[in-house]
Amino acid sequence: MSAVRPISNQRVELFVSTTWFGKGQTDVGEVLDAMEGLDIDGIELGSTHAWRDDLEAVVESKCDHDIFSHNYFPPARDDIVLNIASLDGDMRDASVRHAREAIAFAARVGARLYTIHPGFLADALPPSQAPRTDGTFDMVFGENVRGGLDEALANLRRSLEVLMEDAARFGVPLAVETQGSFVDTGISLLERPGDYVTLHDLFDQGLAINFNLAHSGFAAGVYDFDLEDFVADHQKYFAAVELSDNDGRNDLHRPLSRESFVLPGISRLRSSPLFRE
């Protein structure tokens, strides 16, 4: 994934995510070495890296670009999948605690943005317990209880209010990523347009949106809403636009090609930051 933030009417900034290197448990130092010399404006520190005790030093020594930090970076010593809307209080508390640490880390390395996933109606299994073998980035959910949407949205709101306070204190803008899936329909939050309505006041207070075009394209197909209308209604809150290619059904995070389905819509987003895989 990568991101683009406009710096003039003619030019946008291109960020490339460290997730390009592979799906699971890669070494961020090795990835940053491989990205050295790229003609880009910035790097997004992604969610697919192994824990190491010198992450801050590695980022500071190997990353000479502007930085965005994403969701599960830095990774935890004991692998978890963040769910800040979880119906399990212990999981929710652990997720919020990790996100707060990630915001503090983002501030220490001078990141311009920290983005987080809004959470799920069920807790996902960490990759160490349920590795994907089909090449997709779709989550694997256990047999835990799936709760009600209203309760999960209330949990999301409470978690975001805590994280917004930290983000303001550390001076790191906070954004939530849009979701959508044909594979696990209805489990992620911020898929349905109504989910955003319940958080409207938080957006007006400074919470931003990381618009994942592929995810929201899936959601529009599942819930039959007009994606262009969604963009028109919410684009003023976009802090970044995340771009990747897929097969139309699975979350593959493929790099863009000349035939990528996302390309025709990019011109409508030039007033917002852009991300691509």
Side-chain angles (χ1 to χ4, degrees):
M1 66 192 78
S2 64
V4 182
R5 174 178 290 276
I7 58 176
S8 73
N9 290 333
Q10 290 76 39
R11 185 177 183 273
V12 294
E13 290 179 84
L14 174 65
F15 282 58
V16 174
S17 174
T18 55
T19 59
W20 71 271
F21 197 77
K23 278 188 62 226
Q25 303 289 297
T26 57
D27 181 85
V28 70
E30 184 179 357
V31 179
L32 291 173
D33 283 341
M35 297 174 75
E36 185 178 2
L38 289 180
D39 184 17
I40 56 177
D41 297 292
I43 287 175
E44 183 205 50
L45 300 171
S47 294
T48 57
H49 303 300
W51 179 87
R52 51 187 290 178
D53 60 7
D54 61 347
L55 280 168
E56 187 173 340
V58 168
V59 170
E60 290 181 341
S61 64
K62 293 179 179 289
C63 186
D64 57 0
H65 293 85
D66 282 356
I67 295 171
F68 286 0
S69 188
H70 184 64
N71 195 51
Y72 193 54
F73 194 93
R77 182 190 294 265
D78 298 316
D79 199 22
I80 64 171
V81 177
L82 299 189
N83 187 359
I84 62 173
S86 178
L87 302 181
D88 182 313
D90 291 340
M91 172 58 74
R92 187 171 65 255
D93 289 346
S95 297
V96 171
R97 184 166 55 250
H98 184 85
R100 295 183 73 182
E101 293 170 356
I103 291 171
F105 180 96
R108 292 197 301 273
V109 299
R112 286 170 43 183
L113 181 72
Y114 173 70
T115 68
I116 191 165
H117 292 182
F120 318 96
L121 299 183
D123 294 321
L125 299 175
S128 57
Q129 296 180 25
R132 298 295 307 211
T133 59
D134 58 3
T136 75
F137 282 72
D138 295 297
M139 297 292 184
V140 177
F141 294 92
E143 296 303 318
N144 43 34
V145 176
R146 274 126 167 102
L149 177 61
D150 289 344
E151 183 179 359
L153 285 171
N155 289 343
L156 172 61
R157 165 180 282 277
R158 285 192 290 269
S159 296
L160 287 174
E161 288 172 345
V162 171
L163 299 180
M164 288 175 68
E165 289 182 1
D166 276 21
R169 180 160 57 91
F170 284 107
V172 178
L174 173 68
V176 285
E177 182 179 339
T178 66
Q179 299 297 310
S181 174
F182 282 118
V183 177
D184 292 303
T185 302
I187 293 181
S188 294
L189 301 183
L190 296 194
E191 291 187 344
R192 316 150 192 81
D195 293 1
Y196 297 83
V197 174
T198 65
L199 302 177
H200 182 79
D201 60 315
L202 297 187
F203 294 128
D204 286 338
Q205 293 168 31
L207 179 65
I209 292 174
N210 173 18
F211 177 63
N212 187 312
L213 180 56
H215 289 175
S216 294
F218 292 154
V222 171
Y223 296 103
D224 194 27
F225 64 86
D226 189 291
L227 191 57
E228 289 194 15
D229 287 346
F230 177 86
V231 170
D233 291 341
H234 297 88
Q235 184 165 331
K236 63 182 178 180
Y237 303 118
F238 290 0
V241 175
E242 189 169 336
L243 304 176
S244 63
D245 204 6
N246 58 60
D247 61 3
R249 177 174 176 80
N250 297 287
D251 195 19
L252 297 172
H253 287 205
R254 289 174 177 167
L256 301 184
S257 68
R258 292 182 183 275
E259 294 75 33
S260 294
F261 73 97
V262 301
L263 295 181
I266 291 178
S267 62
R268 301 184 183 93
L269 298 167
R270 289 188 64 84
S271 62
S272 293
L274 300 178
F275 260 92
R276 83 176 170 83
E277 181 71 32

